[in-house]
């Protein structure tokens, strides 16, 4: 995957819901917005939890079907306050 450009949208918020599967494939709701996680989405929990109530930043692309997550990274809780 190529590096993300400055135009790649991102959203930081609290994970309200996510699939229980280990890879998290399916629909996630972060900060009130839905994101589709696929087998190519990178999940990075090195900076914080990517579980329910965790603070995350989602980098994504907007498609005709919605928002496809490229990367979900855990953040310190203070980033969501």
């Amino acid at each position: 995957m190529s590096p993300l450009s400055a135009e790649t949208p991102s959203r930081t918020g609290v994970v309200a819901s996510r699939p229980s599967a280990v890879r998290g494939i399916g629909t996630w709701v972060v900060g009130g917005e839905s994101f589709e996680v696929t087998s190519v989405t990178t999940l990075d929990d090195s900076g914080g939890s990517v579980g329910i109530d965790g603070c995350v930043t989602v980098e994504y692309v907007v498609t005709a079907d919605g928002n496809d997550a490229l990367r979900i990274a855990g953040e310190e809780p203070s980033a969501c306050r």
Side-chain angles (χ1 to χ4, degrees):
M1 185 183 301
S2 63
L4 299 175
S5 70
E7 291 81 35
T8 301
S10 67
R11 179 174 186 91
T12 299
V14 173
V15 178
S17 68
R18 62 162 283 180
S20 60
V22 173
R23 285 280 306 135
I25 293 174
T27 304
W28 290 49
V29 177
V30 175
E33 196 164 349
S34 296
F35 300 91
E36 287 303 313
V37 169
T38 67
S39 60
V40 299
T41 304
T42 301
L43 300 179
D44 178 2
D45 62 358
S46 63
S49 172
V50 296
I52 300 293
D53 294 329
C55 179
V56 300
T57 296
V58 182
E59 295 167 344
Y60 63 98
V61 293
V62 178
T63 68
D65 296 325
N67 299 320
D68 287 353
L70 302 172
R71 179 174 183 262
I72 298 180
E75 304 288 350
E76 290 292 325
S78 61
C80 287
R81 291 192 183 128

